[in-house]
Amino acid sequence: MKRELALLGTLALLPAMIGPLEAEARSLVAPLCGGALVTIPVAPTNAPPGPVQGPCCAKGCHNTSSRKRLDRSQ
């Protein structure tokens, strides 16, 4: 009985041990209210999504003068 439970536990954890499988999307399919489908082709790229950013935008520049100062005299 214990052996079967150990095997069942191992089989249940198998997807977690393997991890997610790679998938490649070639099109997006969206259902419409009337029952029809819209298919949008997607070209695969190796670049990350979004526009190219410089190092300043990636780190999030902040100017401390735009923050309200605490008025301790109140």
Side-chain angles (χ1 to χ4, degrees), residues 17-33:
M17 289 186 265
I18 293 174
L21 301 175
E22 291 187 29
E24 184 176 327
R26 297 202 169 118
S27 64
L28 298 173
V29 179
L32 300 176
C33 294

Side-chain angles (χ1 to χ4, degrees), residues 2 5 11 13 22 30 37-39 45 47 50 54 59 64 67 72 74:
K2 287 184 181 183
L5 287 175
L11 289 176
L13 291 175
E22 291 187 29
L37 296 174
V38 173
T39 304
T45 61
K59 69 178 182 177
T64 58
R67 297 181 183 165
R72 295 189 183 266
Q74 292 181 355

Side-chain angles (χ1 to χ4, degrees), residues 3 54 70:
R3 189 174 206 186
L70 180 61

Side-chain angles (χ1 to χ4, degrees), residues 55-72:
C56 184
C57 294
K59 69 178 182 177
C61 297
H62 294 286
N63 186 359
T64 58
S65 65
S66 64
R67 297 181 183 165
K68 291 184 177 182
R69 302 287 180 194
L70 180 61
D71 186 12
R72 295 189 183 266

